[in-house]
Amino acid sequence: MLRLFLFTPLIALGNCQSDESVAAYGAEEETWVLESIAGEPAAASTTLTFPETGQIAGKAPCNSYSGTTDSPYPWFEVTDLSATRMACPELEAEGTYFAALMAMTQSEVSGDVLILRNEQGYEMVFRSGE
């Protein structure tokens, strides 16, 4: 009986899955609107959301997209990025956005601002679109 009592908390901890990503630190339940990439104003309307644990989604200049992110805050990594395949005049801006998003390695949430950055000092700045 004593063994069961001692191991029950360990079993419970093993079944707990908490979100340690940027979403849990203030980014969830927001629609983040891209303001700039590497100091340059966003070329077209682009959004980023965290719809559920470990997931990202949004609207790039031409296409909707989704992906996976589960790095513990403040780290940031996108994997399994996929997008619809519509053509539009802003395809170059969309390519720039996706390349930058995949290169980001850190995140910071401060009020209504989300900043993604990498080791080379490049930043993507988003503002809450509420």
Side-chain angles (χ1 to χ4, degrees):
M1 183 67 156
L2 181 58
R3 285 186 199 161
L4 181 60
F5 179 74
L6 292 174
F7 288 111
T8 301
L10 294 176
I11 293 169
L13 282 176
N15 290 330
C16 273
Q17 291 185 343
S18 64
D19 185 7
E20 291 294 323
S21 72
V22 64
Y25 287 83
E28 70 183 346
E29 298 181 17
E30 298 286 342
T31 297
W32 299 97
V33 179
L34 180 66
E35 288 191 342
S36 65
I37 298 176
E40 296 293 321
S45 178
T46 305
T47 64
L48 171 65
T49 63
F50 298 87
E52 59 187 67
T53 301
Q55 300 294 310
I56 64 164
K59 178 78 173 86
C62 298
N63 293 286
S64 298
Y65 68 93
S66 63
T68 303
T69 183
D70 58 7
S71 300
Y73 186 77
W75 306 112
F76 185 83
E77 179 184 23
V78 174
T79 57
D80 303 324
L81 186 66
S82 64
T84 56
R85 296 187 173 262
M86 297 187 324
C88 78
E90 290 85 16
L91 272 177
E92 185 176 339
E94 181 164 291
T96 299
Y97 173 73
F98 287 146
L101 188 64
M102 293 296 291
M104 297 298 112
T105 58
Q106 296 176 7
S107 59
E108 177 184 342
V109 179
S110 181
D112 67 345
V113 176
L114 167 65
I115 301 171
L116 303 178
R117 63 178 60 93
N118 65 18
E119 290 85 12
Q120 291 75 34
Y122 291 106
E123 291 186 341
M124 299 176 78
V125 178
F126 296 81
R127 188 163 302 275
S128 173
E130 297 182 54

